Amino acid sequence: MVLLFFSLNLSAQITHVEPPNWWVGFENSELQLLVKAPEIGRAVPEINYPGVSISAIHQAKSPNYLFIDLFIDKSTPVGRFDIIFNRNTDESAVYSYELKARDKKPEDYIGFNSSDAIYLITPDRFSNGNTENNIDTDLREQIIDRNNDYARHGGDIRGIINHLDYIDELGFTAIWPTPMLTNDMNSSSYHGYAMTDFYEVDPRFGTLEEYKELSHKMDERGLKLIMDMVANHCGSEHWWMKDLPFDDWVNQQNAFETKGTLRNSNHRRTTNQDVYASEIDKKDMTEGWFVPSMPDLNQKNPFMAKYIIQNNIWWIETLELGGIRQDTYPYSDKNFISNWAGAIMREYPNFSIVGEEWSVKPLLVRYWQTGTPNKEGFESHLRSTMDFPMQENIVNALNEDEGWATGFVKMYEGLAMDFAYTKPEDILIFPDNHDMDRVFSQLKENIPNTKMALSYIFLMPRIVQVYYGTEILMQNTEKPDDHGVIRSDFPGGWDGDAVNAFTGVGLTENQASMQDFVRKVLNYRKQSDAIKYGKTMHFAPIDGVYVLCRIKDDETIVLILNKNEAPIDIDLTHYQELGLEGKTLKNVITGDPVIWNTNLQLTEKGPLLLTTKN
């Protein structure tokens, strides 16, 4: 972008024009530009370019902002045009703005679905591929300290690029890095969720060109890139917090500006669905700040709403994304978040968005999925939600002794709740994530139980997500709920690491076995239509054994979960409706044949995964 100034008296400098560019050919022909410069509100913009017209000009309360509504006709030629800012005096400025051609058709933005297994990464803790960007002297936090769980450790985009083969060969089909936009905060900036610039890649992670390179190299391997978006809040050091455009740009703005008392959210997410909820509870939920360092964005302000929607579309086009994960989904204004998702899905009909609803009650998760009927007629436009209820069921089931109401029955009845979901196969299931204890710790470092949890998750009618390091039994047992430890460094991601999980050097026997287990099951899942799209059938647990099946055409997958420490014979006639009598199945992990007759002996605790596909 080119900025030219005319008139010796003009001292204004345009620091922000956002979005920084746009494209021709969207369904929505409207674009709203945010312009930031000293006293820019006194200027009158002018554009002379075929197909582009100014439909409205909005002054903000702060004189240092101007909002310009453009109409971009679908016949508009690609290229640059000048925005001329005139004042009543002879002062003027010219800003060169670019309209680009879209590189992909909107229908070719294919989102994640039940065929996908997503690898979730905290980039700062995965791999340091470029040590030269560890510290940026223009940013507040300038320390790299791998001994400090809450400091930056140096992982970056180049580190992810360098290990795409590892992720691909494990059997994953998509990557979700936690946010990599600038977090110019004083401390704990590593996690990325306190953005201070929504259009800038944090230079300690790399450059926009490297982010694009990551996307392109993933696309070459058939991997989808999912971007972690945050519509609910920003970081307290965001550039606009020092000069807010309107009185209501952020929630509780008066308290912030007068250094008064700021209320945190009450986190009562049920107020979104509760027909009895009080107005004060609703307000405290959506207008309370998530934490004091994260100002809550007021999405009822129409300029803020457009800003967020356009920003997210800008990133979809710029990176050619394969999906969005929306952070703290139910904390946003409900009407806004519906409009946000609707705007994106209208532009990209085959796209996918997953929203984080951290609730263990299926009815609350169900509410947010598109097409789900409700009394108020609310439509979320959200294709996918997160299956926190089933994650808890799986952990509880495996930690408990077997009983009428304990143990495997928690998984059995949990999966039976799928009748509540409009499309259960579009829901995202996971053993753990970056905000909860590592699943190996949740399961008390029990390896057979961890393998049962993972195999069950991999076979469910769901989209699958796995946090980096789960495949090598990373844990935080000694420090429960410690996010810094949960997000520990992946071994081998730094030069000099004694253990290298990318190559297998230094892994324990148990770690290598789990890594091989994940690799084999996920790679089988990749080519199994039965797992990705098939019919699901399960059988009520009997004597510490629970059976889950996926069936499509001539392929039947049988997962037998066994809690018994001693050998046990199971009566296969109980499962005769599967039609497997006399057939030879293959053990997916060992490759050994298994003949399905009247009985089958299970010799060890853990999962047994069998397939008719040989």
Side-chain angles (χ1 to χ4, degrees):
M1 281 167 282
V2 181
L3 176 62
L4 301 173
F5 295 108
F6 298 92
S7 169
L8 296 174
N9 297 324
L10 183 61
S11 60
Q13 293 187 8
I14 299 179
T15 57
H16 295 276
V17 175
E18 296 178 344
N21 66 271
W22 205 242
W23 294 264
V24 174
F26 283 116
E27 282 294 311
N28 184 359
S29 299
E30 298 174 350
L31 174 66
Q32 185 173 89
L33 298 180
L34 177 156
V35 183
K36 177 79 160 64
E39 300 295 325
I40 194 69
R42 293 169 46 207
V44 177
E46 170 187 326
I47 294 171
N48 184 14
Y49 189 78
V52 178
S53 58
I54 296 176
S55 54
I57 302 167
H58 307 276
Q59 293 179 330
K61 181 181 181 184
S62 166
N64 304 320
Y65 290 87
L66 198 64
F67 291 83
I68 309 171
D69 290 350
L70 303 182
F71 179 85
I72 303 170
D73 191 85
K74 289 182 171 57
S75 63
T76 302
V78 170
R80 287 187 175 274
F81 61 86
D82 289 340
I83 307 175
I84 303 172
F85 295 91
N86 298 306
R87 294 205 181 149
N88 293 332
T89 64
D90 60 353
E91 296 174 320
S92 63
V94 177
Y95 193 91
S96 179
Y97 196 80
E98 184 177 10
L99 288 177
K100 297 182 178 182
R102 300 178 71 182
D103 292 331
K104 286 174 66 173
K105 295 178 181 178
E107 61 269 20
D108 291 340
Y109 284 81
I110 308 297
F112 50 86
N113 53 52
S114 61
S115 70
D116 287 304
I118 302 166
Y119 197 60
L120 167 59
I121 293 171
T122 299
D124 181 66
R125 306 300 170 86
F126 186 63
S127 175
N128 189 349
N130 178 12
T131 57
E132 293 183 3
N133 65 16
N134 284 356
I135 294 173
D136 189 300
T137 56
D138 292 329
L139 300 178
R140 289 173 173 80
E141 191 172 16
Q142 299 181 13
I143 296 173
I144 293 290
D145 184 1
R146 292 183 68 194
N147 294 316
N148 182 339
D149 295 332
Y150 290 88
R152 298 190 77 95
H153 291 189
D156 49 31
I157 295 172
R158 182 59 55 190
I160 300 174
I161 292 173
N162 290 347
H163 297 294
L164 287 178
D165 285 343
Y166 170 80
I167 297 168
D168 188 16
E169 290 165 7
L170 272 177
F172 291 97
T173 62
I175 300 174
W176 154 22
T178 54
M180 296 195 289
L181 303 186
T182 296
N183 271 231
D184 190 13
M185 302 292 285
N186 292 309
S187 62
S188 295
S189 64
Y190 76 95
H191 60 65
Y193 287 98
M195 281 86 160
T196 56
D197 193 318
F198 283 98
Y199 281 99
E200 182 179 76
V201 178
D202 196 306
R204 294 163 295 190
F205 286 135
T207 65
L208 178 59
E209 290 308 309
E210 285 179 303
Y211 211 158
K212 291 178 181 178
E213 180 186 349
L214 171 64
S215 178
H216 293 154
K217 289 191 172 179
M218 286 177 60
D219 187 60
E220 290 171 359
R221 292 168 170 81
L223 300 172
K224 300 170 185 176
L225 176 60
I226 299 168
M227 190 169 181
D228 205 335
M229 304 285 198
V230 184
N232 180 67
H233 51 261
C234 65
S236 56
E237 298 295 340
H238 192 289
W239 56 264
W240 62 37
M241 295 304 295
K242 296 172 179 61
D243 180 18
L244 291 160
F246 297 98
D247 282 338
D248 60 350
W249 193 247
V250 299
N251 289 316
Q252 303 183 68
Q253 186 166 320
N254 183 61
F256 167 75
E257 292 179 330
T258 60
K259 302 188 185 316
T261 301
L262 286 163
R263 304 184 316 278
N264 283 352
S265 172
N266 60 15
H267 303 288
R268 299 300 181 186
R269 297 181 297 276
T270 53
T271 57
N272 285 294
Q273 300 94 344
D274 182 3
V275 296
Y276 308 123
S278 64
E279 291 303 315
I280 187 61
D281 284 346
K282 292 178 183 179
K283 184 175 182 179
D284 284 349
M285 165 59 193
T286 59
E287 297 184 13
W289 288 23
F290 199 73
V291 293
S293 61
M294 295 179 178
D296 202 70
L297 304 179
N298 179 22
Q299 299 137 347
K300 292 180 180 178
N301 178 301
F303 299 96
M304 172 63 79
K306 284 186 180 179
Y307 183 93
I308 297 169
I309 291 169
Q310 291 178 166
N311 172 266
N312 290 188
I313 290 174
W314 189 88
W315 281 111
I316 293 171
E317 288 286 325
T318 299
L319 297 177
E320 299 184 4
L321 295 176
I324 288 173
R325 181 264 185 180
Q326 182 58 254
D327 184 59
T328 55
Y329 189 85
Y331 288 81
S332 292
D333 177 77
K334 189 162 72 170
N335 291 324
F336 160 78
I337 208 68
S338 169
N339 294 334
W340 166 81
I344 291 172
M345 296 306 295
R346 279 190 293 274
E347 296 292 349
Y348 308 95
N350 299 319
F351 199 64
S352 292
I353 304 169
V354 60
E356 179 197 28
E357 163 58 287
W358 195 326
S359 172
V360 297
K361 299 187 185 322
L363 286 178
L364 299 180
V365 173
R366 169 187 189 268
Y367 178 85
W368 296 109
Q369 191 176 30
T370 185
T372 301
N374 55 72
K375 291 181 178 180
E376 61 194 298
F378 176 78
E379 171 52 60
S380 71
H381 303 288
L382 183 70
R383 181 168 290 176
S384 182
T385 53
M386 292 183 168
D387 203 347
F388 284 94
M390 199 64 207
Q391 192 278 339
E392 182 178 79
N393 284 328
I394 292 169
V395 169
N396 288 343
L398 291 166
N399 281 336
E400 293 172 353
D401 292 333
E402 288 299 294
W404 175 254
T406 59
F408 278 142
V409 71
K410 294 283 182 67
M411 291 160 69
Y412 174 73
E413 291 185 348
L415 190 59
M417 293 297 106
D418 274 12
F419 74 86
Y421 299 121
T422 304
K423 291 190 72 175
E425 66 273 17
D426 282 346
I427 294 172
L428 187 144
I429 184 62
F430 49 94
D432 57 15
N433 63 25
H434 58 299
D435 288 326
M436 60 168 55
D437 290 336
R438 290 278 182 168
V439 69
F440 190 46
S441 294
Q442 291 185 55
L443 293 172
K444 304 174 183 178
E445 299 194 14
N446 186 302
I447 291 173
N449 283 352
T450 303
K451 287 185 176 180
M452 285 195 281
L454 292 177
S455 58
Y456 188 74
I457 284 168
F458 294 165
L459 255 72
M460 289 176 64
R462 292 289 192 279
I463 302 161
V464 169
Q465 171 250 296
V466 176
Y467 194 31
Y468 78 98
T470 296
E471 73 273 19
I472 55 163
L473 302 173
M474 285 179 65
Q475 48 78 26
N476 65 301
T477 307
E478 293 184 5
K479 292 186 176 182
D481 201 35
D482 188 312
H483 285 192
V485 178
I486 290 166
R487 305 160 184 171
S488 293
D489 294 348
F490 190 81
W494 282 254
D495 290 342
D497 283 359
V499 177
N500 189 331
F502 296 115
T503 63
V505 172
L507 290 180
T508 67
E509 183 179 347
N510 286 335
Q511 287 176 317
S513 173
M514 182 62 75
Q515 191 181 54
D516 183 62
F517 178 82
V518 170
R519 182 184 295 112
K520 285 178 176 175
V521 180
L522 282 184
N523 276 288
Y524 184 84
R525 187 183 192 276
K526 258 187 181 181
Q527 48 86 40
S528 170
D529 285 347
I531 296 177
K532 293 184 289 189
Y533 314 115
K535 172 186 173 182
T536 303
M537 185 187 301
H538 64 161
F539 297 81
I542 300 175
D543 298 330
V545 174
Y546 174 35
V547 175
L548 172 71
C549 305
R550 302 298 303 280
I551 306 160
K552 192 174 190 303
D553 301 327
D554 60 349
E555 180 186 7
T556 298
I557 311 293
V558 181
L559 174 63
I560 303 173
L561 302 179
N562 173 34
K563 275 195 183 177
N564 295 281
E565 302 282 354
I568 181 175
D569 283 340
I570 61 172
D571 179 8
L572 295 184
T573 62
H574 182 73
Y575 310 98
Q576 62 182 357
E577 63 193 279
L578 293 175
L580 297 176
E581 187 175 355
K583 292 187 177 181
T584 300
L585 285 71
K586 183 178 73 174
N587 184 319
V588 170
I589 304 303
T590 66
D592 294 336
V594 175
I595 299 174
W596 192 280
N597 284 322
T598 56
N599 292 291
L600 177 66
Q601 186 177 64
L602 305 178
T603 59
E604 59 184 14
K605 178 181 177 180
L608 176 61
L609 184 57
L610 305 175
T611 176
T612 58
K613 199 171 183 178
N614 291 300

